Amino acid sequence: MEMANNGPHLERRKAVSSIGMIILLVSFAMLFASLLLGYTVFRLTNEVWPPMGMEMVPITLPFLSTLVIAASSVAYMNFEKAYSAGESKLTSRKVSYFMTLFLGLAFMAVQFELWAQMADIGLYVSAGIFPSLLYTLTWVHAAHIVMAILALLLLLPSVFKEHSDTKIIWILNIGKFWHFLGVIWLIMFVVIFAF
Amino acid sequence: MAFFEQHIHEEPKTFLSKYIFSYDHKVIGKQFLWYGIFFLGVGGIMALMIRWTLAFPGEAFPLIGGLLFPTTNGVIPPDTYAMLFTMHGTIMIFYAITPILIGAFGNYLIPLQIGARDMVFPLLNMLSFWIAFVSAAILFISLFIPLGAAAGGWTSYPTLSTLIGSPGAGQTLWALALFLLGISSTMGAVNYITTIIVLRAPGMGYFDMPLSVWGLGLTAILNAIFLPVLGAGLLLLIFDRVFGTTFFLAGAAATSGTGDPILFQHVFWIFGHPEVYILILPAWGIVSDLLSFFSRKPAFGAKATALSMTSITILSTLVYGHHMYTTQMSPLLTQTFMTLTMTISIPSAIFFTNWLGTLWKGSIKFPTPMVFSLGVVFVFGLGGLTGLYLATVTTDLYLHDTYFVVGHFHYTMAASVLLGGYAAIYFWMPKMFGKMLNETLGHIHFWLTFLGLNGVFMGMMIVGYGGMHRRIYNPFVYEFLEKLIPINTFVTWSAIVMGLAQIFFVYNFVYTIFFKKEKAEANPWGVGTLEWTIPSPAPVYNFKEIPVVKCGPHEFGNPALTGDRDFQYQTEEIPAT
């Protein structure tokens, strides 16, 4: 693919991999949609929620998670912009990349804190359907976040190397996944923790 | 209008890069073909064991029985029987039919028929095969662990599939294997859809694609959307079994909290109903093409066929409730699902009549691929019509979980897909391996298979109508089933005929690939689609020059044609009249 400066060619490669990525994200979306469907069914068929006299998780930590993941998306957007701008924005590229990575790890840290807190108030995995749902949804989401962080680490070398057109395709696609997980978390926050 | 320039692949040099970790869609297709045929054999032997037990309970399974079940002197024990029908269903659906139709022919045909040099993401394609391989290995290992493989039926309803119903690790491995296979198929689907969107040869609109590609593409869409739903269900099942969550446990089965076993059925069938169309759509597409090719006539209403397949794809997502009429669903819902299910008959009837319209007044030839295609027309017609009784709530309440259901779904998604797969193998053999399969053996294979399978599945529908439940071990102990013993024996003998018929195929296939010297021509069938414009077997780079498409895939007997051919290549312009 020695066609680095071929403008329309790059645009087309971008379009092709975007199509692939979007189809993949539809698949991921269906996974979360099914899980949320299960949640909704249980929630609507129970007269009191949370059931069996369980306590609702305090909203503080989930809210913090939401802020962190939103900030990480913004940081990633800056990274995309700085990378596209080329060598002129080298510092901004590095700062925004490590900011994203840091916020991603921070999100995971908050999740671990959340699980510890849930255990503290008696919400164990095997304690009934309500904690089962909470754990499953957050676990599956966190597993995807781990995947996204690993993908982000794949980009580490290119942060220091010079600008490359093939890398920008990777960056845009990993970005789509990153923002997608942010949106999923937002939906989970609203559906599970906020109401 | 391809989106980007496709480079010519270099020919791989080492054995590993050429045959094992190949990026070439043609090699990956062949890998899937061998994989599928292997599991077709495994699943078939399991089917024979099931049938043997139903006709001759307490008698040792011939030849290999003593070897497999030494503790009972070759008699299949009841718990093993449950494992056999579970694994038969799982293997046939996910490890035999899916790899042959979608894995092998999807990979092989899509780039060749749309004039591309490879799939758009070759690495993803290779990973897709090897993940499927790992998944099959896990499933296979589960047969040999303590307490045995999964035994909750291929649908694995809780509570049969929870720790209470199946305490061994087999069920967990089953769920894990299917989850992995789901990942593999999703990767494949992303690849197929993107390839079809971006790599069509210049001049090829969607309606200029052969109907095979339509079928495969629609299947890929269903796969990408609905496999993750099964994935979610399987994850929950694994969590229930491993981490002690309580999604599918209720009442006395749950130590605490209340889950809902029915939830699994919902999730399973939201995936499961599209799944039956995932299996059948490629076969429909292939048969629609082959009928036209061997009637030497344009496919009647090709556009309508493509569109009705599309509308079936959409409708198939809305009807899953008809699998669950007996779960105390509200009558309003059952009637809604019944009506929606009945609606599927409209597009089905459209393309079915189109098939007949294609045949009408054609100069029909009967080589093996064509007789298999006509077989599909017959068995699919029959299978589709018996579906109406199961879609209707009132009759379904009686027929639910009887052998009638088993007969029906074997007719639609086993028999017709199997015959469609064979048609495809016989038809594309010269392009895949450069040699033609023997026609006489092919016809013997067809007739024995066809008679055998009708004996099996027709017999199943009759015993089902007589009230025989689909999962009983020994029908002879029930008084009300005693009169059905002769017909059960007949079904078993038919199954044996069908099983033995496959020997003709295996011999033919293996002999042709490894020993036959005679090479096939580039275009032995006289067909104009793009894969026949290149030499047989297809070279590594597929097309030396990316073809430019000028006409549709079924240009036969056009009066404007020049020369002595009765067909036109898709790269040729039809002269104006």
Side-chain angles (χ1 to χ4, degrees):
Chain A
M1 305 282 160
E2 295 308 314
M3 291 189 164
N5 292 322
N6 188 338
H9 178 78
L10 176 69
E11 285 309 310
R12 284 173 180 178
R13 281 273 11 162
K14 269 190 201 167
V16 169
S17 57
S18 294
I19 293 170
M21 195 65 200
I22 287 165
I23 298 166
L24 196 63
L25 289 183
V26 169
S27 280
F28 281 121
M30 284 303 287
L31 176 71
F32 286 103
S34 315
L35 293 174
L36 284 168
L37 172 78
Y39 180 88
T40 317
V41 168
F42 281 115
R43 176 154 186 176
L44 293 180
T45 49
N46 270 287
E47 276 169 26
V48 247
W49 194 259
M52 302 188 300
M54 282 174 175
E55 251 182 272
M56 189 59 205
V57 190
I59 203 168
T60 336
L61 284 175
F63 187 66
L64 187 60
S65 292
T66 314
L67 291 182
V68 171
I69 207 164
S72 82
S73 262
V74 174
Y76 199 95
M77 275 186 233
N78 284 332
F79 172 58
E80 288 169 333
K81 225 180 277 166
Y83 195 91
S84 308
E87 311 306 315
S88 56
K89 292 214 172 171
L90 207 54
T91 350
S92 156
R93 183 206 288 184
K94 282 178 197 161
V95 169
S96 54
Y97 174 82
F98 285 106
M99 197 66 193
T100 317
L101 194 59
F102 169 75
L103 287 168
L105 294 170
F107 178 82
M108 284 306 293
V110 180
Q111 290 303 89
F112 276 103
E113 195 55 38
L114 175 72
W115 293 324
Q117 193 192 29
M118 278 159 67
D120 280 345
I121 57 172
L123 295 175
Y124 300 106
V125 186
S126 52
I129 189 63
F130 174 61
S132 289
L133 281 165
L134 247 53
Y135 278 105
T136 302
L137 275 157
T138 47
W139 277 348
V140 174
H141 183 261
H144 285 80
I145 293 277
V146 171
M147 266 162 44
I149 290 175
L150 290 178
L152 200 59
L153 288 175
L154 279 181
L155 296 178
L156 187 59
S158 53
V159 174
F160 297 100
K161 280 194 209 141
E162 55 195 273
H163 181 92
S164 128
D165 276 347
T166 43
K167 270 292 165 225
I168 190 97
I169 293 173
W170 280 86
I171 290 173
L172 289 176
N173 282 326
I174 293 172
K176 283 198 190 78
F177 189 50
W178 196 269
H179 302 314
F180 168 79
L181 290 177
V183 174
I184 294 286
W185 175 261
L186 187 66
I187 296 171
M188 279 166 58
F189 173 72
V190 172
V191 173
I192 302 175
F193 299 102
F195 291 96
Chain B
M1 63 141 275
F3 266 54
F4 58 91
E5 201 174 324
Q6 306 169 58
H7 298 267
I8 287 197
H9 286 306
E10 271 180 51
E11 187 134 15
K13 293 287 185 298
T14 61
F15 179 80
L16 221 55
S17 66
K18 193 168 177 184
Y19 295 109
I20 310 294
F21 298 108
S22 175
Y23 285 53
D24 184 354
H25 74 100
K26 296 184 287 301
V27 178
I28 297 168
K30 286 177 201 169
Q31 286 173 326
F32 267 119
L33 187 63
W34 285 106
Y35 171 105
I37 289 178
F38 170 75
F39 276 107
L40 197 62
V42 175
I45 291 171
M46 287 177 167
L48 287 177
M49 290 181 186
I50 297 167
R51 279 321 311 177
W52 184 266
T53 317
L54 288 174
F56 313 107
E59 283 179 44
F61 186 73
L63 302 178
I64 52 173
L67 203 71
L68 292 173
F69 316 108
T71 46
T72 53
N73 289 323
V75 178
I76 294 154
D79 57 335
T80 311
Y81 179 79
M83 279 166 212
L84 280 175
F85 67 65
T86 304
M87 295 308 264
H88 165 73
T90 312
I91 285 178
M92 283 304 202
I93 291 170
F94 296 104
Y95 296 87
I97 283 175
T98 311
I100 292 179
L101 265 300
I102 304 168
F105 287 104
N107 262 314
Y108 200 84
L109 293 183
I110 290 177
L112 280 176
Q113 292 200 321
I114 63 174
R117 290 206 168 118
D118 203 334
M119 287 283 179
V120 75
F121 307 118
L123 174 68
L124 202 64
N125 210 3
M126 181 190 84
L127 285 178
S128 156
F129 175 74
W130 286 103
I131 292 176
F133 189 84
V134 172
S135 151
I138 293 176
L139 193 83
F140 213 71
I141 288 166
S142 80
L143 288 168
F144 303 102
I145 58 168
L147 292 177
W154 84 275
T155 50
S156 281
Y157 284 173
T159 30
L160 275 179
S161 59
T162 54
L163 283 175
I164 293 135
S166 26
Q171 188 72 48
T172 314
L173 289 178
W174 178 90
L176 198 65
L178 283 195
F179 189 78
L180 278 180
L181 195 73
I183 294 174
S184 149
S185 298
T186 313
M187 286 171 142
V190 170
N191 220 341
Y192 294 0
I193 300 170
T194 319
T195 305
I196 291 175
I197 295 176
V198 302
L199 285 188
R200 274 169 298 121
M204 182 179 255
Y206 287 106
F207 287 108
D208 297 326
M209 300 191 305
L211 292 165
S212 312
V213 178
W214 268 91
L216 290 161
L218 292 169
T219 288
I221 292 173
L222 283 177
N223 256 336
I225 298 176
F226 288 101
L227 272 170
V229 180
L230 175 71
L234 293 171
L235 270 185
L236 299 186
L237 189 62
I238 295 174
F239 284 2
D240 262 16
R241 297 179 59 87
V242 179
F243 300 119
T245 53
T246 53
F247 289 109
F248 304 131
L249 295 174
T255 44
S256 61
T258 52
D260 185 1
I262 301 295
L263 178 70
F264 185 83
Q265 296 194 23
H266 282 285
V267 175
F268 187 87
W269 288 117
I270 288 175
F271 151 79
H273 196 82
E275 169 70 13
V276 306
Y277 289 93
I278 287 171
L279 297 173
I280 190 73
L281 274 164
W284 283 348
I286 286 167
V287 167
S288 309
D289 275 344
L290 293 193
L291 288 178
S292 150
F293 294 162
F294 291 110
S295 306
R296 313 306 295 171
K297 248 187 85 191
F300 183 83
K303 221 175 227 187
T305 307
L307 290 176
S308 51
M309 289 204 292
T310 313
S311 42
I312 290 175
T313 306
I314 296 163
L315 281 172
S316 76
T317 64
L318 304 171
V319 300
Y320 78 93
H322 64 222
H323 295 268
M324 300 168 61
Y325 287 155
T326 54
T327 56
Q328 303 187 355
M329 200 181 250
S330 101
L332 180 67
L333 264 181
T334 57
Q335 279 163 29
T336 315
F337 278 124
M338 177 172 86
T339 316
L340 281 168
T341 308
M342 295 291 188
T343 318
I344 290 192
S345 358
I346 299 168
S348 307
I350 292 177
F351 77 77
F352 201 87
T353 357
N354 281 350
W355 285 354
L356 301 181
T358 306
L359 292 171
W360 183 252
K361 290 189 172 173
S363 29
I364 304 174
K365 298 192 168 49
F366 294 98
T368 323
M370 182 60 167
V371 285
F372 273 103
S373 304
L374 291 172
V376 175
V377 176
F378 179 79
V379 294
F380 187 75
L382 205 58
L385 286 176
T386 52
L388 293 173
Y389 301 97
L390 296 171
T392 311
V393 185
T394 39
T395 41
D396 181 70
L397 291 181
Y398 172 71
L399 293 169
H400 184 85
D401 250 2
T402 63
Y403 258 94
F404 190 85
V405 180
V406 181
H408 158 73
F409 72 66
H410 275 91
Y411 257 118
T412 44
M413 75 176 196
S416 39
V417 181
L418 182 76
L419 296 180
Y422 278 136
I425 291 176
Y426 280 98
F427 184 73
W428 277 289
M429 190 75 179
K431 198 50 68 184
M432 288 181 112
F433 296 97
K435 294 164 196 171
M436 303 281 281
L437 285 163
N438 183 299
E439 281 289 308
T440 317
L441 289 175
H443 275 86
I444 298 174
H445 173 216
F446 170 75
W447 282 108
L448 290 181
T449 308
F450 189 70
L451 292 175
L453 76 84
N454 277 299
V456 176
F457 303 133
M458 201 89 81
M460 279 182 176
M461 288 207 267
I462 295 168
V463 293
Y465 199 72
M468 184 165 144
H469 182 265
R470 68 191 277 197
R471 278 165 185 161
I472 50 178
Y473 169 61
N474 183 354
F476 292 14
V477 297
Y478 305 95
E479 206 179 311
F480 77 106
L481 292 178
E482 263 170 10
K483 293 224 164 54
L484 298 177
I485 290 173
I487 195 158
N488 264 316
T489 319
F490 166 77
V491 170
T492 299
W493 282 113
S494 305
I496 291 171
V497 169
M498 189 180 164
L500 292 178
Q502 308 316 309
I503 295 173
F504 288 95
F505 170 72
V506 173
Y507 168 77
N508 199 354
F509 190 71
V510 172
Y511 173 79
T512 306
I513 291 176
F514 294 109
F515 303 107
K516 194 171 176 178
K517 292 276 175 302
E518 205 183 323
K519 299 272 178 249
E521 308 158 37
N523 188 2
W525 309 112
V527 168
T529 47
L530 292 175
E531 79 271 29
W532 302 104
T533 59
I534 56 172
S536 299
V540 196
Y541 46 80
N542 292 359
F543 299 92
K544 220 176 241 146
E545 303 278 328
I546 295 292
V548 179
V549 172
K550 304 263 172 58
C551 66
H554 313 110
E555 285 303 334
F556 291 98
N558 190 323
L561 273 174
T562 48
D564 50 3
R565 277 192 272 127
D566 68 340
F567 67 97
Q568 183 124 17
Y569 284 110
Q570 277 195 273
T571 47
E572 293 173 320
E573 196 129 27
I574 301 180
T577 37

